[in-house]
Amino acid sequence: MVPGFALDSAKLTPKMKRAIKKFVRSNPTLTTVTCKGFTSLPVSARDMRIATDRGKAVCKYIKKLNPDLSVKVLKGGHNNNSGSETRRVRIVMR
């Protein structure tokens, strides 16, 4: 998980980038990474775009760190939590 996105933002912070870099470096045998961004309820079309953009931002940065990886971004989703827990990206690796 990559938590900590600001409200209405898909921008990666330096702290998030460090965590992603650590994740990529500690998993050198990865071949495929899937990213899915999240937002909270109620969900508008704008919220879903932001959630999807969060997933894109994380996968784009992962691809920059390791161009050999295959990356895929899933359509954004939502959950019933509140606060920064809803503004996160789930990473699935293979």
Side-chain angles (χ1 to χ4, degrees):
M1 293 280 188
V2 179
F5 284 92
L7 187 63
D8 296 335
S9 176
K11 184 177 179 186
L12 295 173
T13 66
K15 182 179 179 180
M16 295 160 97
K17 287 182 177 182
R18 284 190 301 274
I20 294 166
K21 186 182 279 188
K22 182 178 178 183
F23 164 78
V24 171
R25 287 187 176 165
S26 65
N27 292 285
T29 60
L30 287 179
T31 59
T32 304
V33 174
T34 303
C35 303
K36 181 173 184 169
F38 288 89
T39 190
S40 61
L41 292 173
V43 178
S44 68
R46 180 177 176 274
D47 293 333
M48 293 304 282
R49 278 192 304 275
I50 292 169
T52 300
D53 288 346
R54 289 173 179 153
K56 287 178 184 177
V58 171
C59 265
K60 181 179 177 181
Y61 189 64
I62 289 172
K63 185 73 170 175
K64 179 181 175 183
L65 295 170
N66 186 344
D68 295 331
L69 283 174
S70 173
V71 298
K72 180 179 180 181
V73 179
L74 301 178
K75 182 178 176 185
H78 67 277
N79 62 38
N80 295 322
N81 295 336
S82 61
S84 64
E85 276 301 302
T86 64
R87 299 185 306 267
R88 69 187 197 295
V89 172
R90 182 185 316 139
I91 301 170
V92 177
M93 54 188 171
R94 294 189 186 135

